Amino acid sequence: MPHYILGIESSCDDTSASVLCDTTILSNVIAGQKVHSEYGGVVPELASRAHQQNIIPVIDTALKRAKINKNQLSAIAYTNGPGLLGSLLVGSSFAKAMAYCLNVPLIEVDHLQAHVLAIFADKPDTQLSKPQFPFLCLTVSGGHTQLLKVNDYFDMEFLGGTIDDAAGEAFDKAAKILGLPYPGGPVIDKLAKEGDPNKFKFAIAHLTGLQYSFSGLKTSFLYFVRDQLKENECFIEENIHDLAASVQHAIILSLIHKMKEAFKLYDCKDIVLAGGVSANSGLRNAMRELTDQYHRNLHLPSLELTTDNAAMIAVCGYFKYLKNEHSSISATPYTSARNI
Ligand code: KG4
Ligand code: ZN
């Protein structure tokens, strides 16, 4: 018998709902929030208000696109953390009320686990090859940068992470310095395609082990641009493509450098990239080259599953549903990453 899982995601600035039939995505509706673009980052209070406005139409559309009735749902999975508290409360309260009314299991999902497990969700027409356990997963998003050894769906070993900014934050901050809108990652990615990645050099941190750091890179980028603007006030406009390509190159180099270190320590054959920054075309290409060179199999999520979306919440919920892991109506959202 097929299981229909509704996933609800509201941890940051995207309100999303998705219906899965087992691991097949029947719908994945994402309402972004344009309101933050002029602030150069997410404004938490504005995010919660936008979630309130979006949540009912988004869930309604997800059910309609999936062509199923709410009474056919087997369970409701929702993001319980980490994220912004006000944003999480909107999704979690809605999920609890809906599960209670429909008398179906409520399943809490960790946002970071969901990014990792997104690779197991399939579009109806495309079945990508699946990684075999154990695999290495690099999650690079706006809030997190972490390398995990994934032994099983819910057995993930933390190998290393960032000691300051996340990779996505580095993209967003660089974009802000260049006067580009938030989120800056996709804009830099696009501009970088026509730029020279070796035109400008920025500081890359060399920490021991599998730790990452991006704050030095951000500062070196900020000072460089500031100094150049003193000489030429049109410096950014005249060099925008090369600046984007060079800062993107520096971020990718530091991620690739640590991946090589991880390959020396762990012989997992399968490698997964996850999180919003895994949409970056330069990073995807660099990871393809690296994994070819080291004879590893790279698994990349489809682009719509890289940034925040509810299909990844639903697929994570599905695997918990199979294990009968239900949540209590009194589960409270959490804001910081938990050990997963
Ligand atoms: O996973 P995500 O949607 O949210 C978090 O859980 O943080 O990631 C959002 C981050 C933002 O920092 C955004 O700039 C970055 O992912 N991002 C990209 C690209 N698309 C999204 N960064 C670089 N290149 C992209 N194409
Ligand atoms: Zn995320």
Side-chain angles (χ1 to χ4, degrees), residues 238-277:
E238 287 171 6
N239 294 279
I240 191 75
H241 292 100
D242 293 339
L243 283 165
S246 301
V247 76
Q248 173 172 298
H249 185 60
I251 296 169
I252 294 172
L253 277 185
S254 78
L255 293 171
I256 292 293
H257 173 69
K258 290 294 168 184
M259 209 66 201
K260 282 186 194 163
E261 295 291 308
F263 287 174
K264 286 183 206 152
L265 299 169
Y266 302 94
D267 62 3
C268 304
K269 202 84 192 116
D270 286 0
I271 314 298
V272 172
L273 212 53
V277 179

Side-chain angles (χ1 to χ4, degrees), residues 118-293:
I119 197 76
F120 293 104
D122 283 312
K123 288 188 185 168
D125 43 349
T126 38
Q127 301 257 323
L128 298 177
S129 70
K130 298 289 171 266
Q132 301 293 309
F133 298 114
F135 60 83
L136 293 181
C137 178
L138 174 65
T139 305
V140 268
S141 71
H144 306 274
T145 296
Q146 57 179 25
L147 188 62
L148 301 167
K149 179 163 169 267
V150 184
N151 298 317
D152 205 345
Y153 293 108
F154 298 103
D155 176 4
M156 302 184 185
E157 259 175 75
F158 179 84
L159 306 180
T162 180
I163 58 162
D164 42 55
D165 293 348
E169 232 174 320
F171 272 103
D172 295 337
K173 287 180 177 170
K176 194 173 176 184
I177 292 166
L178 297 177
L180 301 170
Y182 176 87
V187 189
I188 294 209
D189 190 356
K190 205 166 160 211
L191 290 167
K193 290 194 173 114
E194 287 164 46
D196 174 0
N198 295 307
K199 180 78 182 279
F200 308 113
K201 297 265 178 273
F202 304 110
I204 296 176
H206 288 289
L207 302 182
T208 53
L210 297 175
Q211 287 188 316
Y212 303 81
S213 164
F214 293 100
S215 71
L217 167 60
K218 176 199 65 191
T219 310
S220 98
F221 186 68
L222 174 70
Y223 288 174
F224 173 76
V225 173
R226 194 191 57 186
D227 291 348
Q228 295 300 316
L229 283 173
K230 281 186 199 151
E231 312 273 312
N232 169 12
E233 60 180 25
C234 300
F235 178 74
I236 293 180
E237 294 92 275
E238 287 171 6
N239 294 279
I240 191 75
H241 292 100
D242 293 339
L243 283 165
S246 301
V247 76
Q248 173 172 298
H249 185 60
I251 296 169
I252 294 172
L253 277 185
S254 78
L255 293 171
I256 292 293
H257 173 69
K258 290 294 168 184
M259 209 66 201
K260 282 186 194 163
E261 295 291 308
F263 287 174
K264 286 183 206 152
L265 299 169
Y266 302 94
D267 62 3
C268 304
K269 202 84 192 116
D270 286 0
I271 314 298
V272 172
L273 212 53
V277 179
S278 72
N280 186 269
S281 54
L283 178 61
R284 287 169 97 92
N285 288 337
M287 281 294 292
R288 278 189 198 107
E289 273 174 31
L290 183 76
T291 46
D292 278 354
Q293 190 190 339

